[in-house]
C-alpha cells in the first residue's frame, strides 16, 4: 500500500508576548507500569481524535459532507476549528500532542502558526510528523516539543477471505529527551462500522502489529508508549493479573505482550467514565499502553474545559452550525522514562 511518508517537519516559530494557559485536572485513575524505580525523564502526552478535521480546500477525497460548500463547510468554519483546537492544546499544555482524523500534513503548519505566540522556547512545538495511506481521507499526526529522530510507518496488507478495507497505518516515532530515547506508536484502528464482529479481524491484525512493535522497542531497553483511538474498549482486551499484583493488558500477537493501561486501577477495576460517549454509554476506546522503561504517573480523560459539556460529555462538532469541538474527549498522561 502506498503511504504518504514525507512526514518529518520542523516549524519556525514566531515569538510574541502571549502566555500559554494552563489547566489542572482532578482525575484520579493513576496506574503505573512495572518500570524501574529510577526514572530520569518526564513528559506530558495528549491524544485526541479530532473528528473529521478537514481543511477548507476541496481535494475530492473528503467525506461527502466536506467535499463541497453545499453542507455549509467553509474557510471561516475551518479557521474557527483551528482556533478551538489551538486553545485546547494550549490549555492542556502537553509536550507531545497526538492527533487522529487530521486530513493532511499542511494542516500541521496551520495549527503550529496558531500555537506560536510565546517567548518560551520550551513551550514551542518545533517538531511534527504526519502519515496516511495515499487516497485515504484522514490520517494521524504528532506535534512535539521533544526532538523527533526518526519516523517509520507500518501498514498492513492482508490477503484473506474478507476483502481488506482501508486501514490506517501504525506510525512509529522515535523521540529523544536529553539523550534518552522514547518510542511512540500512533494508532487509529479500524472502526466498528459495518458490524463489530465482522470488523474485529482487522483490529486483531492491528493488535498483532502493535504487539510486535512494542516488544521490539522493549527488547532494545527503550521506553515505549502506544497512543490513539483503538476503536476497542479497554474491557475488550485480554486482562491478566501479573505476579507483582498489577493488572496487565495482554496484546495478542505472534508473541503476546503484557502492557499497562491507566484505564484500569490497581485493584483491577475499570474506570467508570470514558473518552467517547456513544448511545448513552461511555466507551474507553482512546488508549495509552506502556511497556519497557515507561511509567504512567497520572492519567485523565479531560472533561473540564470548553470542549466538554457541564456533565463531562464531549462537545461534538456540528457541521451545520459550526459549533463544538469533537465527539471524543482528549486524554492526557504524564510519562516517566
Amino acid at each position: 500500500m502506498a503511504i504518504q511518508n514525507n512526514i518529518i517537519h520542523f516549524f519556525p516559530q514566531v515569538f510574541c508576548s502571549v502566555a500559554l494557559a494552563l489547566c489542572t485536572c482532578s482525575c484520579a485513575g493513576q496506574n503505573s507500569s512495572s518500570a524501574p524505580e529510577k526514572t530520569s525523564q518526564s513528559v506530558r502526552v495528549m491524544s485526541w481524535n479530532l473528528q473529521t478535521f478537514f481543511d477548507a480546500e476541496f481535494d475530492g477525497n473528503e467525506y461527502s459532507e466536506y467535499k463541497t460548500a453545499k453542507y455549509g463547510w467553509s474557510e471561516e468554519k475551518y479557521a474557527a476549528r483551528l482556533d478551538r483546537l489551538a486553545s485546547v492544546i494550549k490549555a492542556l499544555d502537553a509536550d507531545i500532542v497526538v492527533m487522529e482524523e487530521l486530513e493532511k500534513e499542511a494542516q500541521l503548519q496551520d495549527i503550529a502558526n496558531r500555537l506560536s505566540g510565546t517567548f518560551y522556547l520550551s513551550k514551542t512545538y518545533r517538531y511534527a510528523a504526519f502519515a496516511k495511506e495515499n487516497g485515504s481521507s484522514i490520517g494521524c499526526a504528532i506535534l512535539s516539543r521533544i526532538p523527533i529522530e526518526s519516523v517509520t510507518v507500518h501498514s498492513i496488507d492482508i490477503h484473506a477471505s474478507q476483502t481488506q478495507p482501508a486501514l490506517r497505518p501504525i506510525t512509529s516515532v522515535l523521540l529523544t529527551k536529553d539523550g534518552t530515547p522514547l518510542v511512540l506508536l500512533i494508532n487509529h484502528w479500524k472502526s466498528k462500522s459495518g458490524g463489530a464482529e465482522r470488523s474485529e479481524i482487522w483490529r486483531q491484525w492491528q493488535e498483532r502489529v502493535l504487539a510486535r512493535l512494542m516488544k521490539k522497542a522493549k527488547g532494545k531497553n527503550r521506553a515505549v508508549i502506544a497512543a490513539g483511538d483503538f476503536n476497542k474498549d479497554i474491557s475488550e482486551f485480554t486482562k491478566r493479573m501479573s505476579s507483582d499484583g498489577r493488572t496487565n493488558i495482554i496484546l495478542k500477537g505472534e508473541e503476546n505482550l503484557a502492557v499497562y493501561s491507566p484505564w484500569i486501577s490497581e485493584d483491577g477495576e475499570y474506570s467508570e467514565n470514558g473518552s467517547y460517549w456513544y448511545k448513552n454509554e461511555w466507551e474507553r476506546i482512546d488508549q495509552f499502553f506502556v511497556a519497557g522503561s515507561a511509567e504512567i504517573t497520572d492519567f485523565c480523560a479531560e472533561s473540564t474545559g470548553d470542549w466538554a459539556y457541564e456533565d463531562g460529555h464531549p462537545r461534538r462538532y456540528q457541521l451545520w452550525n459550526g459549533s463544538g469541538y469533537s465527539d471524543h474527549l482528549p486524554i492526557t498522561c504524564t510519562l516517566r522514562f
Side-chain angles (χ1 to χ4, degrees), residues 50-71:
L50 303 180
Q51 188 196 336
T52 58
F53 205 98
F54 291 100
D55 67 7
E57 297 179 6
F58 301 128
D59 299 317
N61 64 334
E62 296 89 356
Y63 292 168
S64 59
E65 61 269 35
Y66 291 90
K67 281 187 176 181
T68 69
K70 175 182 177 182
Y71 297 98

Side-chain angles (χ1 to χ4, degrees), residues 41-261:
Q41 303 297 337
S42 177
V43 295
R44 290 284 295 169
V45 184
M46 164 184 167
S47 179
W48 198 12
N49 182 316
L50 303 180
Q51 188 196 336
T52 58
F53 205 98
F54 291 100
D55 67 7
E57 297 179 6
F58 301 128
D59 299 317
N61 64 334
E62 296 89 356
Y63 292 168
S64 59
E65 61 269 35
Y66 291 90
K67 281 187 176 181
T68 69
K70 175 182 177 182
Y71 297 98
W73 185 234
S74 65
E75 181 74 38
E76 292 74 21
K77 287 182 178 178
Y78 175 56
R81 287 202 81 181
L82 282 172
D83 290 339
R84 288 180 207 142
L85 172 58
S87 72
V88 177
I89 293 174
K90 289 178 181 180
L92 298 183
D93 194 36
D95 301 300
I96 299 169
V97 179
V98 175
M99 295 170 284
E100 302 89 54
E101 296 202 8
L102 199 67
E103 182 187 6
K104 63 180 68 165
E105 64 184 38
Q107 291 175 285
L108 290 173
Q109 186 68 69
D110 294 337
I111 298 167
N113 287 342
R114 281 165 167 77
L115 294 171
S116 60
T118 176
F119 276 127
Y120 303 102
L121 283 174
S122 62
K123 295 293 186 180
T124 60
Y125 295 93
R126 291 180 288 167
Y127 309 91
F130 175 87
K132 73 173 182 179
E133 292 182 1
N134 286 336
S136 178
S137 297
I138 50 178
C140 297
I142 173 178
L143 287 173
S144 178
R145 297 168 177 163
I146 313 303
I148 295 176
E149 302 295 334
S150 65
V151 180
T152 309
V153 181
H154 303 268
S155 190
I156 296 174
D157 188 9
I158 303 297
H159 299 276
S161 57
Q162 185 182 146
T163 302
Q164 178 178 322
L167 297 176
R168 289 167 285 265
I170 296 176
T171 304
S172 176
V173 183
L174 176 62
L175 307 102
T176 58
K177 184 177 183 184
D178 298 331
T180 303
L182 170 66
V183 176
L184 168 66
L185 298 165
I186 303 173
N187 297 258
H188 189 185
W189 290 8
K190 179 71 179 70
S191 74
K192 294 179 179 178
S193 61
E197 292 185 7
R198 180 175 176 80
S199 59
E200 176 62 16
I201 183 175
W202 306 113
R203 288 185 293 279
Q204 289 174 349
W205 275 109
Q206 289 169 308
E207 183 173 343
R208 288 170 65 90
V209 173
L210 179 61
R212 175 174 58 83
L213 294 174
M214 293 192 77
K215 184 176 180 63
K216 181 179 179 181
K218 183 180 178 182
K220 293 182 178 180
N221 295 318
R222 288 174 171 170
V224 56
I225 179 171
D229 177 0
F230 289 70
N231 277 304
K232 188 169 182 173
D233 190 85
I234 193 62
S235 63
E236 298 178 78
F237 289 88
T238 299
K239 184 173 71 171
R240 186 178 68 193
M241 192 71 72
S242 65
S243 58
D244 62 1
R246 300 179 187 272
T247 302
N248 289 325
I249 288 296
I250 306 300
L251 293 180
K252 294 183 177 180
E254 295 177 5
E255 295 183 39
N256 294 344
L257 178 68
V259 298
Y260 287 87
S261 165

Side-chain angles (χ1 to χ4, degrees), residues 10 15 252 301:
F10 301 89
F15 301 105
K252 294 183 177 180

